[in-house]
C-alpha cells in the first residue's frame, strides 16, 4: 500500500496547493476538508511545517476512538467510518503530531487516506508517495 | 464561504454587521469592481483622506480559494498621498483568509478613540486593544506578537502597519505576512489615522463545488499553465529582479534620481547575482504554485561579541532594487539589503521612499536643502546614511522630514527642485524610463502606477504609435486589468488568465460572462474610476510632467514634449467625455 510522505519540508514555499487539492479531492474548494496542514514556523522567513499523517502501524488515534469508527488501514494509518463517528475529538487529541484535522462544519475528523492526490500539486517536491509493504 | 457577504466594521462604535450584497457581486464580480462601489456608498464625499469620513474597503473575487493565482486582495480608499482615489493590491495569505472567513469584502469606517486591532473570523469581529503594539519600532515584532496572540495559525493573514503608518507618513504601507504589501498610495497612513494597528483575519471554510469534474479540469488547465508554461518562468526562477539587467541594458533603469538611465552597479543588484550570493528561501502567496517571493539573507556579526551573528531575511523585488538601489546609486548589496530591511521595519512604501530620498539627495547637492535640515550627509551610494534617513522619515524630527513624509510633490513645492521631483499625479515614479508610454501611463493611470497599464511593455514592443494610438492602447490594457483586479488575479498570471480561461473558470460557477461582456465590464469599471476621480477633484489639465524625464534619453530616445502633450490632450478628451456622460 502506498503512503504519503514528506520528502523535504525545507523546500516548502507555503503555497498550500496541497491543502486545496485535498479538499478538492472530495469535491470542495477551500481548506476545511484537508487532511494535511501547512503553517509557518513562526514567520514565513523561518520556513514551514508540513503536517501529514505518518500512517502509523499502531495508530494512537485508532486506540483512542471509543466507538470503533477508526479501523486499521492496510499499510498503516486508519480508515474513518463517518457513520460511527460521534465527533468526540478523542482521535484529534491522541495524534502526537497533530495530523488528525477537524472539519468544523461537519464536526468530524479529517484523516489522510494516503491517496496521493495532493502530491501532484506540489510543485516543489516536498511531498511524495512511498510504496509500503503490506503487513 | 459565501463571497457575497460584506462585513461592515465601524471603528468608532466598535460595532459590525454582515450584509449579503449579491446585488454588487453579481454585477461587478468582486475585487476592484465591488470595492469601488462600496467605497462610493460609504465614503463621505469630499472628506480628507486622514479624516473619519474616509473608508477602507478590502475585496476578493469569485475565483479566490477556488483556483490558483486568484490570490490578491484589492484595497480601495482615499489616498493621503495623492488626495484622490487610492487603490493597492497585496497577496500573502490575505485573499484566502478573507474568503475562507466567509467574506467577499470588508469595509472599515470611522476612527477609533484608541489604538486597536481587529480579529476577524466567521463569527465576526473582536476589537482588541493595541496600546502595547502602538509605537513598536518594527513591523516584524508587531507581527510576532500578533502571531502568538491570535488564533488560526496556517489559515490567517496578519496585516499590520509600522510606525510610519502610525505617524501618518503619506506613503506608509500595510504589511501582510511580513513580505507582502499594500505598498502604494499610503494605505498605512489611513490605518494610522483610524488608530488601526492591524487586522488578523482567519478562517477555513470550504464550499461544495457544483460541476466538480468541470471544476477539476479547468483547475488542472490553469495549474499546468502556471507550472509548465514559459510565461511564469521568470517569476519562478529569479523573480522580478531578473528584469534589472535587461532594463539596464535598454538604458531604462532610473539611476541617481534619473540623472542617468544606466546603472554601472546593475550587475551587483541583479537577480542573477542575488540568487547566486544571497537567496536564502523562496515563499509563495496562498494558492500560488509560482513562489515569486525571494528572500535574501544577510549575516552580520555583532561588533561587541565575537562569534555572535544575526541572520536577517529580506524580501527583494525589482521595484525595491530600483528605488532603493539604482535610484540612490547603491551597488553594495549588503548595504542595500539592510536599507530595504529598514524600510520594512518602519512600514514604508519602498518606491516612494527611494524616490523621495533620491530627490532629497539631488536637492541637497544643488544647495536647496541645508545639512542642518537633512541631519545626515546624503550622497549617492552611501547606504548607511540612507538608512538613517529612513528612520528620520518615520520620526519626522524637523520641518524638512515632516515635508518629506508627505511625498516629493509636496516637498518640492516647499524646497524647490520641482523639475527633478519624480512624482506623477502625486505618486512617486516606478522604475521604468523606457519611453513615452511608461510616463504617460504613470500620468493617466487611475492609480498613477506602472501597474495600471504597463506602459513599459508598449515602449518595448510597439514602435511608431501616434500619441492617440498609444493612449488608446494604455486605456485598453487598463480596462482589461479591471477584470483581472475584480477577479483578484495576480498580474504576474495575466498571461494565463486570458479572456477564454477566465470565461471557463467563471462558467463552472454558473456565471454567464462571455468575453465581450467581460470586456464591457472592464470598460465600465474604468469609467466609474475616472468619474470618481473627477468628483474628487482630479483634472488631467493639472497633471505635471517632471522636466527631468525629457533631459535623459530613455530606451526610446529623448522623449518628445509635443508627443507627450498630444497624448495628454487626447486623454483629457476621453476623460472629459466620460465625466460628462457618467
Ligand atoms: S494523500 Fe490524499 S488524503 Fe492524504 S493529504 Fe494527500 S490528498 Fe489528502
Ligand atoms: S504544495 Fe508543496 S510547497 Fe506548497 S504548501 Fe504544500 S508541501 Fe508546501
Amino acid at each position: 500500500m502506498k503512503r504519503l510522505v514528506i520528502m523535504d519540508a525545507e523546500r516548502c514555499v507555503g503555497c498550500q496547493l496541497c491543502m486545496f487539492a485535498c479538499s478538492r479531492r472530495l469535491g470542495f474548494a477551500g481548506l476545511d476538508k484537508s487532511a494535511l496542514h501547512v503553517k509557518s514556523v513562526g514567520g514565513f522567513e523561518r520556513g514551514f511545517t508540513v503536517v501529514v499523517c505518518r500512517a502509523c502501524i499502531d495508530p494512537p488515534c485508532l486506540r483512542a476512538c471509543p466507538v470503533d469508527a477508526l479501523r486499521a488501514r492496510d499499510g498503516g494509518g486508519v480508515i474513518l467510518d463517518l457513520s460511527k463517528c460521534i465527533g468526540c475529538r478523542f482521535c484529534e487529541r491522541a495524534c502526537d503530531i497533530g495530523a488528525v484535522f477537524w472539519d468544523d462544519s461537519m464536526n468530524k475528523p479529517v484523516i489522510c487516506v494516503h491517496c496521493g492526490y495532493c502530491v501532484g500539486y506540489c510543485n516543489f517536491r516536498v511531498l511524495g508517495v512511498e510504496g509500503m509493504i503490506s503487513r | 464561504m459565501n463571497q457575497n457577504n460584506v462585513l461592515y466594521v465601524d471603528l468608532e462604535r466598535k460595532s459590525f454587521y454582515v450584509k449579503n450584497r449579491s446585488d454588487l457581486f453579481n454585477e461587478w464580480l468582486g475585487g476592484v469592481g465591488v470595492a469601488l462601489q462600496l467605497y462610493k456608498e460609504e465614503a463621505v464625499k469630499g472628506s480628507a483622506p486622514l479624516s473619519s469620513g474616509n473608508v477602507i474597503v478590502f475585496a476578493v473575487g469569485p475565483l479566490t480559494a477556488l483556483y490558483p493565482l486568484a490570490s490578491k486582495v484589492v484595497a480601495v480608499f482615499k489616498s493621503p498621498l495623492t488626495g484622490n482615489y487610492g487603490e493597492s493590491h497585496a497577496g500573502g495569505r490575505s485573499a484566502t483568509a478573507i474568503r475562507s472567513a466567509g467574506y467577499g469584502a470588508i469595509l472599515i469606517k470611522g476612527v477609533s478613540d484608541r489604538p486597536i486591532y481587529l480579529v476577524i473570523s466567521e463569527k465576526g469581529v473582536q476589537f482588541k486593544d493595541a496600546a502595547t503594539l502602538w509605537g513598536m519600532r518594527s513591523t516584524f515584532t508587531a507581527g510576532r506578537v500578533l502571531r502568538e496572540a491570535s488564533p488560526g495559525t496556517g489559515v490567517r493573514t496578519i496585516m499590520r502597519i509600522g510606525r510610519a503608518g502610525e505617524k501618518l507618513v503619506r506613503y506608509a504601507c500595510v504589511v501582510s505576512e511580513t513580505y507582502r504589501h499594500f505598498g502604494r498610495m499610503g494605505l498605512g497612513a489611513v490605518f494610522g489615522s483610524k488608530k488601526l494597528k492591524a487586522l488578523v483575519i482567519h478562517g477555513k471554510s470550504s464550499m461544495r463545488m457544483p460541476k466538480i469534474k468541470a471544476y477539476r479540469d479547468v483547475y488542472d488547465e490553469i495549474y499546468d499553465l502556471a507550472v509548465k508554461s514559459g510565461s511564469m518562468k521568470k517569476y519562478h526562477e529569479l523573480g522580478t529582479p531578473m528584469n534589472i539587467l535587461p532594463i539596464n541594458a535598454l538604458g531604462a533603469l532610473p539611476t541617481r534620481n534619473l540623472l542617468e538611465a544606466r546603472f554601472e552597479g546593475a550587475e551587483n543588484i541583479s537577480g542573477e547575482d542575488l540568487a547566486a550570493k544571497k537567496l536564502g528561501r523562496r515563499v509563495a502567496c496562498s494558492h500560488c504554485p509560482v513562489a515569486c517571493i525571494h528572500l535574501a539573507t544577510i549575516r552580520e556579526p555583532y561588533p561587541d561579541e565575537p562569534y555572535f551573528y544575526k541572520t536577517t531575511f529580506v524580501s527583494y523585488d525589482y521595484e525595491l532594487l530600483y528605488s532603493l538601489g539604482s535610484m540612490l546609486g547603491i551597488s553594495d548589496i549588503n548595504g542595500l539589503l539592510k536599507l530595504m530591511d529598514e524600510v520594512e521595519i518602519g512600514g514604508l512604501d519602498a518606491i516612494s521612499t527611494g524616490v523621495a530620498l533620491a530627490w532629497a539627495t539631488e536637492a541637497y547637492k544643488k544647495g536647496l536643502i541645508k545639512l542642518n535640515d537633512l541631519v545626515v550627509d546624503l550622497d549617492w551610494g552611501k547606504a548607511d546614511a540612507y538608512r538613517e534617513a529612513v528612520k528620520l522619515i518615520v520620526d519626522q524630527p524637523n520641518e524638512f522630514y515632516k515635508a518629506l513624509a508627505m511625498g516629493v510633490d509636496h516637498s518640492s513645492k516647499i524646497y524647490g527642485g520641482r523639475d527633478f521631483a519624480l512624482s506623477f499625479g502625486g505618486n512617486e515614479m516606478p522604475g521604468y524610463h523606457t519611453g513615452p508610454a511608461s510616463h504617460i501611463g504613470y500620468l493617466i493611470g487611475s492609480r498613477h502606477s506602472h501597474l495600471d497599464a504597463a506602459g513599459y511593455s508598449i515602449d518595448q514592443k510597439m514602435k511608431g504609435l501616434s500619441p492617440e494610438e498609444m493612449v488608446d492602447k494604455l486605456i485598453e490594457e487598463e480596462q482589461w486589468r479591471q477584470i483581472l483586479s475584480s477577479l483578484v488575479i495576480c498580474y504576474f498570471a495575466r498571461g494565463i488568465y486570458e479572456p477564454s480561461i477566465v470565461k471557463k473558470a467563471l462558467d463552472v460557477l454558473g456565471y454567464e460572462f462571455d468575453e465581450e461582456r467581460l470586456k464591457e465590464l472592464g470598460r465600465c469599471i474604468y469609467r466609474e474610476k475616472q468619474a470618481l476621480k473627477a468628483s474628487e477633484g482630479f483634472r488631467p489639465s493639472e497633471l505635471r510632467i517632471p522636466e527631468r524625464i525629457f533631459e535623459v534619453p530613455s530606451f526610446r530616445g529623448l522623449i518628445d514634449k509635443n508627443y507627450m502633450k498630444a497624448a495628454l490632450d487626447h486623454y483629457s478628451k476621453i476623460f472629459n467625455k466620460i465625466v460628462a456622460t457618467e
Side-chain angles (χ1 to χ4, degrees):
Chain A
M1 283 291 272
K2 59 186 184 179
R3 165 173 97 112
L4 174 68
V5 290
I6 297 191
M7 315 282 283
D8 184 357
E10 283 301 316
R11 298 175 71 138
C12 178
V13 299
C15 68
Q16 302 185 312
L17 258 85
C18 52
M19 292 174 66
F20 285 107
C22 188
S23 285
R24 195 166 60 257
R25 166 186 70 104
L26 298 170
F28 288 84
L31 298 171
D32 78 343
K33 313 284 174 197
S34 305
L36 79 177
H37 195 80
V38 178
K39 59 184 179 197
S40 78
V41 187
F44 274 29
E45 66 274 29
R46 317 263 163 212
F48 297 90
T49 306
V50 186
V51 183
V52 305
C53 168
R54 277 186 50 75
C56 306
I57 298 298
D58 178 17
C61 55
L62 182 152
R63 280 184 268 128
C65 179
V67 293
D68 291 332
L70 297 173
R71 65 185 157 81
R73 170 184 170 273
D74 197 13
V78 292
I79 307 277
L80 168 71
D81 182 346
L82 274 179
S83 64
K84 285 189 186 163
C85 171
I86 54 169
C88 68
R89 301 186 94 133
F90 284 11
C91 55
E92 185 190 28
R93 260 176 276 161
C95 179
D96 286 329
I97 58 172
V100 172
F101 300 97
W102 208 255
D103 177 347
D104 292 321
S105 59
M106 281 174 59
N107 196 36
K108 300 274 164 155
V110 186
I111 304 181
C112 178
V113 297
H114 297 271
C115 67
Y117 187 66
C118 52
V119 179
Y121 296 91
C122 177
N123 194 28
F124 299 91
R125 281 181 270 162
V126 175
L127 304 171
V129 178
E130 188 184 83
M132 283 236 325
I133 311 143
S134 184
R135 51 178 168 159
Chain B
M1 207 195 245
N2 186 349
Q3 83 129 2
N4 296 329
N5 280 344
V6 177
L7 174 66
Y8 293 79
V9 185
D10 185 337
L11 297 179
E12 191 176 321
R13 304 167 73 170
K14 315 275 185 297
S15 65
F16 68 91
Y17 63 94
V18 179
K19 196 168 169 187
N20 184 308
R21 295 303 307 269
S22 44
D23 56 326
L24 288 184
F25 285 94
N26 289 342
E27 188 175 353
W28 303 96
L29 286 175
V32 78
V34 166
L36 191 65
Q37 296 306 319
L38 287 168
Y39 175 86
K40 277 170 49 175
E41 288 176 7
E42 296 287 330
V44 180
K45 211 163 168 210
S47 56
L50 300 180
S51 73
S52 67
N54 196 2
V55 300
I56 303 166
V57 189
F58 292 105
V60 296
L63 307 184
T64 299
L66 271 54
Y67 293 100
L69 293 155
S71 46
K72 295 276 177 180
V73 174
V74 172
V76 168
F77 51 97
K78 191 168 192 178
S79 163
L81 184 62
T82 65
N84 205 301
Y85 176 73
E87 178 187 326
S88 193
H89 304 183
R93 289 193 166 168
S94 52
T96 297
I98 290 176
R99 179 107 200 238
S100 303
Y103 308 110
I106 297 173
L107 184 139
I108 299 170
K109 69 174 196 180
V111 167
S112 172
D113 55 345
R114 62 178 63 196
I116 53 168
Y117 73 96
L118 307 181
V119 178
I120 296 176
S121 71
E122 259 174 316
K123 297 194 189 103
V125 184
Q126 281 177 283
F127 296 85
K128 301 267 204 175
D129 197 308
T132 316
L133 292 166
W134 205 257
M136 258 181 201
R137 186 176 117 73
S138 168
T139 56
F140 290 91
T141 317
R144 206 174 273 189
V145 173
L146 288 166
R147 263 202 305 278
E148 295 293 325
S150 308
T153 172
V155 290
R156 68 184 173 201
T157 182
I158 301 179
M159 303 176 188
R160 67 266 192 186
I161 57 168
R163 280 187 61 239
E166 294 172 12
K167 301 207 64 172
L168 309 179
V169 177
R170 299 304 193 266
Y171 42 93
C173 71
V174 173
V175 184
S176 98
E177 283 66 79
T178 317
Y179 297 111
R180 295 291 90 186
H181 309 90
F182 293 93
R184 310 233 62 197
M185 309 197 85
L187 181 60
V190 182
F191 265 54
S193 72
K194 296 189 175 306
K195 295 267 192 312
L196 178 60
K197 179 69 184 178
L199 298 178
V200 181
I201 306 167
H202 68 96
K204 61 168 189 133
S205 65
S206 64
M207 130 180 180
R208 185 184 283 285
M209 290 303 290
K211 310 168 188 157
I212 179 68
K213 162 100 178 53
Y215 169 50
R216 288 204 190 108
D217 288 346
V218 179
Y219 190 103
D220 287 348
E221 189 175 346
I222 294 169
Y223 177 76
D224 284 346
L225 285 168
V227 298
K228 291 179 193 144
S229 80
S231 72
M232 299 308 280
K233 197 168 171 251
K234 66 175 175 183
Y235 304 115
H236 182 80
E237 291 174 350
L238 295 176
T240 56
M242 74 90 66
N243 287 327
I244 289 281
L245 290 180
I247 295 286
N248 190 51
L250 295 179
L253 181 64
T255 299
R256 287 180 278 267
N257 204 36
L258 196 54
L259 284 160
E260 294 148 83
R262 276 207 175 83
F263 184 39
E264 70 288 348
E267 199 79 45
N268 291 347
I269 63 166
S270 66
E272 288 80 354
D273 247 43
L274 274 155
K277 295 176 187 156
K278 295 286 171 193
L279 180 57
R281 190 180 284 286
R282 275 177 46 203
V283 293
C285 295
S286 178
H287 225 158
C288 166
V290 178
C292 79
I293 309 168
H294 286 56
L295 305 182
T297 49
I298 340 172
R299 179 172 174 262
E300 286 174 284
Y302 281 89
D304 56 346
E305 176 89 43
Y307 302 107
F308 217 69
Y309 289 85
K310 77 166 170 185
T311 304
T312 314
F313 286 82
V314 183
S315 80
Y316 62 92
D317 262 305
Y318 174 82
E319 296 300 340
L320 288 83
L321 295 165
Y322 139 72
S323 61
L324 300 168
S326 65
M327 200 61 165
L328 302 177
I330 299 174
S331 56
D332 156 31
I333 194 63
N334 279 329
L336 174 53
L337 289 171
K338 278 160 72 179
L339 176 61
M340 289 178 185
D341 192 42
E342 192 61 50
V343 169
E344 188 84 90
I345 285 170
L348 291 153
D349 174 43
I351 300 180
S352 288
T353 305
V355 172
L357 290 172
W359 169 82
T361 309
E362 189 171 345
Y364 172 52
K365 285 175 177 290
K366 293 205 156 98
L368 301 174
I369 308 166
K370 309 256 166 321
L371 181 58
N372 205 14
D373 291 327
L374 207 52
V375 186
V376 278
D377 193 5
L378 295 184
D379 195 4
W380 307 125
K382 286 194 184 159
D384 287 349
Y386 286 117
R387 218 167 70 230
E388 289 312 308
V390 168
K391 294 180 195 161
L392 293 165
I393 291 176
V394 174
D395 285 340
Q396 301 161 49
N398 61 24
E399 291 307 313
F400 172 72
Y401 281 100
K402 283 196 177 82
L404 200 60
M406 306 279 284
V408 283
D409 193 49
H410 177 88
S411 316
S412 61
K413 276 185 195 153
I414 300 173
Y415 291 88
R418 293 288 279 167
D419 288 355
F420 53 87
L422 292 165
S423 138
F424 295 78
N427 198 11
E428 283 75 16
M429 177 186 166
Y432 306 89
H433 185 50
T434 43
S438 60
H439 292 290
I440 296 166
Y442 309 150
L443 289 161
I444 72 172
S446 305
R447 43 187 173 135
H448 304 287
S449 154
H450 62 298
L451 295 166
D452 286 315
Y456 56 87
S457 164
I458 294 180
D459 283 327
Q460 290 174 68
K461 288 182 193 146
M462 297 180 197
K463 290 211 167 85
L465 293 180
S466 71
E468 293 77 18
E469 286 166 339
M470 179 174 290
V471 166
D472 292 346
K473 283 256 172 274
L474 286 165
I475 292 178
E476 193 189 326
E477 177 67 21
E478 183 166 348
Q479 288 171 337
W480 173 245
R481 287 183 178 214
Q482 302 316 307
I483 293 304
L484 296 177
S485 300
S486 295
L487 300 169
V488 298
I489 286 158
C490 175
Y491 282 176
F492 294 163
R494 61 185 178 275
I496 294 175
Y497 279 91
E498 298 273 347
S500 58
I501 294 271
V502 170
K503 181 183 176 314
K504 276 192 211 173
L506 286 172
D507 276 352
V508 172
L509 301 172
Y511 283 86
E512 279 161 18
F513 271 92
D514 58 19
E515 291 181 26
E516 189 36 49
R517 187 164 164 218
L518 283 170
K519 287 186 176 158
E520 179 47 35
L521 181 62
R523 291 191 282 270
C524 192
I525 296 171
Y526 178 82
R527 290 194 298 268
E528 291 263 320
K529 278 191 189 175
Q530 304 298 312
L532 175 64
K533 286 188 73 169
S535 74
E536 296 279 8
F538 175 74
R539 300 287 174 270
S541 56
E542 290 167 14
L543 283 170
R544 180 186 72 90
I545 310 179
E547 201 56 31
R548 173 59 44 83
I549 70 159
F550 298 114
E551 296 164 1
V552 179
S554 70
F555 162 61
R556 298 303 295 269
L558 274 177
I559 293 171
D560 177 7
K561 277 191 185 167
N562 293 325
Y563 187 100
M564 293 291 283
K565 188 177 173 306
L568 285 184
D569 285 348
H570 183 59
Y571 167 70
S572 287
K573 279 189 205 128
I574 295 171
F575 180 88
N576 292 334
K577 204 168 140 199
I578 291 172
V579 173
T581 47
E582 286 287 319

PDB file of all heavy atoms in Angstrom, chain B residues 541-555:
ATOM      1  N   SER B 541      -5.807  68.351 -16.818  1.00  0.00           N
ATOM      2  CA  SER B 541      -5.072  69.563 -17.196  1.00  0.00           C
ATOM      3  C   SER B 541      -4.073  69.979 -16.115  1.00  0.00           C
ATOM      4  O   SER B 541      -3.134  70.725 -16.374  1.00  0.00           O
ATOM      5  CB  SER B 541      -6.058  70.698 -17.444  1.00  0.00           C
ATOM      6  OG  SER B 541      -6.868  70.882 -16.290  1.00  0.00           O
ATOM      7  N   GLU B 542      -4.285  69.489 -14.902  1.00  0.00           N
ATOM      8  CA  GLU B 542      -3.375  69.867 -13.818  1.00  0.00           C
ATOM      9  C   GLU B 542      -2.206  68.902 -13.663  1.00  0.00           C
ATOM     10  O   GLU B 542      -1.369  69.078 -12.775  1.00  0.00           O
ATOM     11  CB  GLU B 542      -4.160  69.960 -12.497  1.00  0.00           C
ATOM     12  CG  GLU B 542      -5.102  71.157 -12.479  1.00  0.00           C
ATOM     13  CD  GLU B 542      -6.113  71.105 -11.346  1.00  0.00           C
ATOM     14  OE1 GLU B 542      -5.948  70.296 -10.421  1.00  0.00           O
ATOM     15  OE2 GLU B 542      -7.091  71.883 -11.419  1.00  0.00           O
ATOM     16  N   LEU B 543      -2.148  67.885 -14.506  1.00  0.00           N
ATOM     17  CA  LEU B 543      -1.038  66.926 -14.392  1.00  0.00           C
ATOM     18  C   LEU B 543       0.287  67.608 -14.722  1.00  0.00           C
ATOM     19  O   LEU B 543       0.392  68.341 -15.705  1.00  0.00           O
ATOM     20  CB  LEU B 543      -1.252  65.743 -15.338  1.00  0.00           C
ATOM     21  CG  LEU B 543      -2.274  64.694 -14.889  1.00  0.00           C
ATOM     22  CD1 LEU B 543      -2.564  63.723 -16.027  1.00  0.00           C
ATOM     23  CD2 LEU B 543      -1.786  63.950 -13.652  1.00  0.00           C
ATOM     24  N   ARG B 544       1.263  67.328 -13.893  1.00  0.00           N
ATOM     25  CA  ARG B 544       2.576  67.947 -14.071  1.00  0.00           C
ATOM     26  C   ARG B 544       3.551  66.884 -14.561  1.00  0.00           C
ATOM     27  O   ARG B 544       3.581  65.770 -14.032  1.00  0.00           O
ATOM     28  CB  ARG B 544       3.033  68.480 -12.711  1.00  0.00           C
ATOM     29  CG  ARG B 544       4.372  69.160 -12.677  1.00  0.00           C
ATOM     30  CD  ARG B 544       4.741  69.492 -11.231  1.00  0.00           C
ATOM     31  NE  ARG B 544       5.099  68.283 -10.486  1.00  0.00           N
ATOM     32  CZ  ARG B 544       6.347  67.798 -10.419  1.00  0.00           C
ATOM     33  NH1 ARG B 544       7.346  68.407 -11.021  1.00  0.00           N
ATOM     34  NH2 ARG B 544       6.590  66.687  -9.737  1.00  0.00           N
ATOM     35  N   ILE B 545       4.331  67.202 -15.582  1.00  0.00           N
ATOM     36  CA  ILE B 545       5.346  66.253 -16.035  1.00  0.00           C
ATOM     37  C   ILE B 545       6.708  66.757 -15.553  1.00  0.00           C
ATOM     38  O   ILE B 545       7.127  67.851 -15.929  1.00  0.00           O
ATOM     39  CB  ILE B 545       5.376  66.131 -17.571  1.00  0.00           C
ATOM     40  CG1 ILE B 545       3.974  65.887 -18.121  1.00  0.00           C
ATOM     41  CG2 ILE B 545       6.334  65.011 -17.992  1.00  0.00           C
ATOM     42  CD1 ILE B 545       3.905  65.773 -19.632  1.00  0.00           C
ATOM     43  N   PRO B 546       7.396  65.987 -14.747  1.00  0.00           N
ATOM     44  CA  PRO B 546       8.716  66.455 -14.282  1.00  0.00           C
ATOM     45  C   PRO B 546       9.660  66.630 -15.478  1.00  0.00           C
ATOM     46  O   PRO B 546       9.792  65.741 -16.311  1.00  0.00           O
ATOM     47  CB  PRO B 546       9.201  65.328 -13.369  1.00  0.00           C
ATOM     48  CG  PRO B 546       8.029  64.442 -13.130  1.00  0.00           C
ATOM     49  CD  PRO B 546       7.048  64.670 -14.224  1.00  0.00           C
ATOM     50  N   GLU B 547      10.291  67.791 -15.505  1.00  0.00           N
ATOM     51  CA  GLU B 547      11.189  68.142 -16.603  1.00  0.00           C
ATOM     52  C   GLU B 547      12.279  67.080 -16.825  1.00  0.00           C
ATOM     53  O   GLU B 547      12.703  66.806 -17.942  1.00  0.00           O
ATOM     54  CB  GLU B 547      11.832  69.489 -16.245  1.00  0.00           C
ATOM     55  CG  GLU B 547      12.394  70.286 -17.393  1.00  0.00           C
ATOM     56  CD  GLU B 547      11.403  70.583 -18.520  1.00  0.00           C
ATOM     57  OE1 GLU B 547      10.188  70.712 -18.268  1.00  0.00           O
ATOM     58  OE2 GLU B 547      11.869  70.662 -19.678  1.00  0.00           O
ATOM     59  N   ARG B 548      12.694  66.467 -15.737  1.00  0.00           N
ATOM     60  CA  ARG B 548      13.803  65.514 -15.774  1.00  0.00           C
ATOM     61  C   ARG B 548      13.628  64.416 -16.830  1.00  0.00           C
ATOM     62  O   ARG B 548      14.583  63.997 -17.478  1.00  0.00           O
ATOM     63  CB  ARG B 548      13.977  64.887 -14.382  1.00  0.00           C
ATOM     64  CG  ARG B 548      14.980  63.743 -14.241  1.00  0.00           C
ATOM     65  CD  ARG B 548      16.418  64.082 -14.631  1.00  0.00           C
ATOM     66  NE  ARG B 548      16.918  65.336 -14.147  1.00  0.00           N
ATOM     67  CZ  ARG B 548      17.425  65.552 -12.931  1.00  0.00           C
ATOM     68  NH1 ARG B 548      17.526  64.555 -12.078  1.00  0.00           N
ATOM     69  NH2 ARG B 548      17.858  66.739 -12.589  1.00  0.00           N
ATOM     70  N   ILE B 549      12.407  63.979 -17.024  1.00  0.00           N
ATOM     71  CA  ILE B 549      12.230  62.837 -17.939  1.00  0.00           C
ATOM     72  C   ILE B 549      12.537  63.221 -19.389  1.00  0.00           C
ATOM     73  O   ILE B 549      12.759  62.361 -20.229  1.00  0.00           O
ATOM     74  CB  ILE B 549      10.816  62.210 -17.848  1.00  0.00           C
ATOM     75  CG1 ILE B 549       9.756  63.139 -18.431  1.00  0.00           C
ATOM     76  CG2 ILE B 549      10.476  61.800 -16.426  1.00  0.00           C
ATOM     77  CD1 ILE B 549       8.479  62.413 -18.830  1.00  0.00           C
ATOM     78  N   PHE B 550      12.546  64.544 -19.648  1.00  0.00           N
ATOM     79  CA  PHE B 550      12.882  64.989 -21.006  1.00  0.00           C
ATOM     80  C   PHE B 550      14.385  65.163 -21.199  1.00  0.00           C
ATOM     81  O   PHE B 550      14.858  65.331 -22.304  1.00  0.00           O
ATOM     82  CB  PHE B 550      12.179  66.317 -21.318  1.00  0.00           C
ATOM     83  CG  PHE B 550      10.679  66.230 -21.277  1.00  0.00           C
ATOM     84  CD1 PHE B 550       9.956  66.918 -20.320  1.00  0.00           C
ATOM     85  CD2 PHE B 550       9.989  65.446 -22.203  1.00  0.00           C
ATOM     86  CE1 PHE B 550       8.570  66.841 -20.278  1.00  0.00           C
ATOM     87  CE2 PHE B 550       8.603  65.359 -22.166  1.00  0.00           C
ATOM     88  CZ  PHE B 550       7.890  66.056 -21.195  1.00  0.00           C
ATOM     89  N   GLU B 551      15.106  65.204 -20.089  1.00  0.00           N
ATOM     90  CA  GLU B 551      16.536  65.533 -20.163  1.00  0.00           C
ATOM     91  C   GLU B 551      17.426  64.320 -20.379  1.00  0.00           C
ATOM     92  O   GLU B 551      18.556  64.446 -20.812  1.00  0.00           O
ATOM     93  CB  GLU B 551      16.967  66.231 -18.852  1.00  0.00           C
ATOM     94  CG  GLU B 551      16.275  67.563 -18.632  1.00  0.00           C
ATOM     95  CD  GLU B 551      16.395  68.075 -17.184  1.00  0.00           C
ATOM     96  OE1 GLU B 551      17.031  67.405 -16.339  1.00  0.00           O
ATOM     97  OE2 GLU B 551      15.832  69.140 -16.912  1.00  0.00           O
ATOM     98  N   VAL B 552      16.906  63.168 -20.010  1.00  0.00           N
ATOM     99  CA  VAL B 552      17.726  61.959 -20.063  1.00  0.00           C
ATOM    100  C   VAL B 552      17.134  60.988 -21.073  1.00  0.00           C
ATOM    101  O   VAL B 552      15.954  60.649 -20.989  1.00  0.00           O
ATOM    102  CB  VAL B 552      17.759  61.291 -18.667  1.00  0.00           C
ATOM    103  CG1 VAL B 552      18.581  60.017 -18.687  1.00  0.00           C
ATOM    104  CG2 VAL B 552      18.311  62.273 -17.647  1.00  0.00           C
ATOM    105  N   PRO B 553      17.929  60.565 -22.056  1.00  0.00           N
ATOM    106  CA  PRO B 553      17.377  59.655 -23.063  1.00  0.00           C
ATOM    107  C   PRO B 553      16.803  58.395 -22.416  1.00  0.00           C
ATOM    108  O   PRO B 553      17.387  57.845 -21.487  1.00  0.00           O
ATOM    109  CB  PRO B 553      18.589  59.298 -23.931  1.00  0.00           C
ATOM    110  CG  PRO B 553      19.599  60.356 -23.662  1.00  0.00           C
ATOM    111  CD  PRO B 553      19.349  60.850 -22.276  1.00  0.00           C
ATOM    112  N   SER B 554      15.649  58.000 -22.905  1.00  0.00           N
ATOM    113  CA  SER B 554      15.040  56.746 -22.457  1.00  0.00           C
ATOM    114  C   SER B 554      15.442  55.660 -23.453  1.00  0.00           C
ATOM    115  O   SER B 554      16.165  55.923 -24.416  1.00  0.00           O
ATOM    116  CB  SER B 554      13.527  56.887 -22.447  1.00  0.00           C
ATOM    117  OG  SER B 554      13.056  56.966 -23.790  1.00  0.00           O
ATOM    118  N   PHE B 555      14.934  54.466 -23.230  1.00  0.00           N
ATOM    119  CA  PHE B 555      15.163  53.406 -24.217  1.00  0.00           C
ATOM    120  C   PHE B 555      14.699  53.853 -25.599  1.00  0.00           C
ATOM    121  O   PHE B 555      15.345  53.579 -26.602  1.00  0.00           O
ATOM    122  CB  PHE B 555      14.414  52.133 -23.771  1.00  0.00           C
ATOM    123  CG  PHE B 555      14.209  51.131 -24.866  1.00  0.00           C
ATOM    124  CD1 PHE B 555      15.293  50.550 -25.520  1.00  0.00           C
ATOM    125  CD2 PHE B 555      12.920  50.754 -25.249  1.00  0.00           C
ATOM    126  CE1 PHE B 555      15.096  49.623 -26.540  1.00  0.00           C
ATOM    127  CE2 PHE B 555      12.723  49.835 -26.270  1.00  0.00           C
ATOM    128  CZ  PHE B 555      13.812  49.273 -26.917  1.00  0.00           C
TER     129      PHE B 555
END
